[in-house]
Amino acid sequence: MKIILTQEVSGLGAPGDIVEVKNGYGRNYLLPQGFAIAWTKGAEKQVTVIKRARSAREIRDLDHANEVKAQLEGLKVTLKARAGDGGRLFGSVTPAEIVDAVKAAGGPILDRRRLEVPGHIKSTGGYPVRIKLHPEVSAKFDLHVVQG
């Protein structure tokens, strides 16, 4: 089955890529989740629009990725979350909340889909967070979750 990716799928490709996948994977997962659209000649013309939008929010090149990496690794990111006794959170910390905390700490605007969080963050404390900025560059920073 030939599909056009609309979002980044790890191990498969980036938005705008035309890939060949097994029928079940495409029909039962990628299409219903909105990660891809079915390939047609008309849809292939939309690839340029998808790629243009991707390039607008993507990190421009390797040098820019290294600049952002240096900026991120120098940040102290603190996230206030509601917690009960013993530091247990009411719910868990989402990638969108982490991106907002990075922006509030004076960091760059990040894509929440590129964050790699170690499991679910359900209690206060420090957590290492990785973000893939470029195919060759990934940055690590510490996230401190405090009761607030």
Side-chain angles (χ1 to χ4, degrees), residues 62-117:
L62 191 59
D63 294 333
H64 185 236
N66 285 325
E67 286 176 21
V68 173
K69 177 181 179 179
Q71 186 180 4
L72 277 174
E73 290 179 346
L75 281 180
K76 289 192 64 90
V77 181
T78 303
L79 177 69
K80 290 185 179 181
R82 288 186 36 189
D85 294 335
R88 184 130 171 99
L89 299 182
F90 298 128
S92 63
V93 175
T94 65
E97 291 173 328
I98 295 172
V99 168
D100 291 340
V102 168
K103 194 165 70 173
I109 298 170
L110 303 173
D111 186 2
R112 65 177 170 75
R113 294 179 296 257
R114 294 181 178 269
L115 282 177
E116 296 175 8
V117 182

Side-chain angles (χ1 to χ4, degrees), residues 7-8 28 33 57 59-60 84 96 104 112 122 126 145-146:
Q7 294 182 16
E8 184 169 337
N28 296 326
Q33 294 290 330
R57 73 171 179 265
I59 296 203
R60 291 184 293 277
R112 65 177 170 75
K122 293 188 175 224
V145 180
V146 295

Side-chain angles (χ1 to χ4, degrees), residues 3-143:
I3 58 169
I4 301 170
L5 296 176
T6 56
Q7 294 182 16
E8 184 169 337
V9 179
S10 62
L12 196 57
D17 290 349
I18 299 171
V19 293
E20 185 78 28
V21 295
K22 297 215 176 197
N23 289 339
Y25 183 52
R27 196 172 46 244
N28 296 326
Y29 178 67
L30 295 174
L31 294 175
Q33 294 290 330
F35 294 142
I37 56 174
W39 178 87
T40 61
K41 287 185 181 183
E44 191 166 358
K45 293 177 184 173
Q46 291 179 333
V47 170
T48 57
V49 175
I50 293 170
K51 286 191 176 184
R52 194 176 317 129
R54 173 176 131 197
S55 67
R57 73 171 179 265
E58 191 174 76
I59 296 203
R60 291 184 293 277
D61 55 10
L62 191 59
D63 294 333
H64 185 236
N66 285 325
E67 286 176 21
V68 173
K69 177 181 179 179
Q71 186 180 4
L72 277 174
E73 290 179 346
L75 281 180
K76 289 192 64 90
V77 181
T78 303
L79 177 69
K80 290 185 179 181
R82 288 186 36 189
D85 294 335
R88 184 130 171 99
L89 299 182
F90 298 128
S92 63
V93 175
T94 65
E97 291 173 328
I98 295 172
V99 168
D100 291 340
V102 168
K103 194 165 70 173
I109 298 170
L110 303 173
D111 186 2
R112 65 177 170 75
R113 294 179 296 257
R114 294 181 178 269
L115 282 177
E116 296 175 8
V117 182
H120 297 286
I121 298 176
K122 293 188 175 224
S123 61
T124 58
Y127 296 91
V129 178
R130 245 183 87 203
I131 182 162
K132 193 166 181 136
L133 298 169
H134 190 269
E136 301 168 15
V137 179
S138 60
K140 293 180 184 175
F141 62 92
D142 288 326
L143 173 71

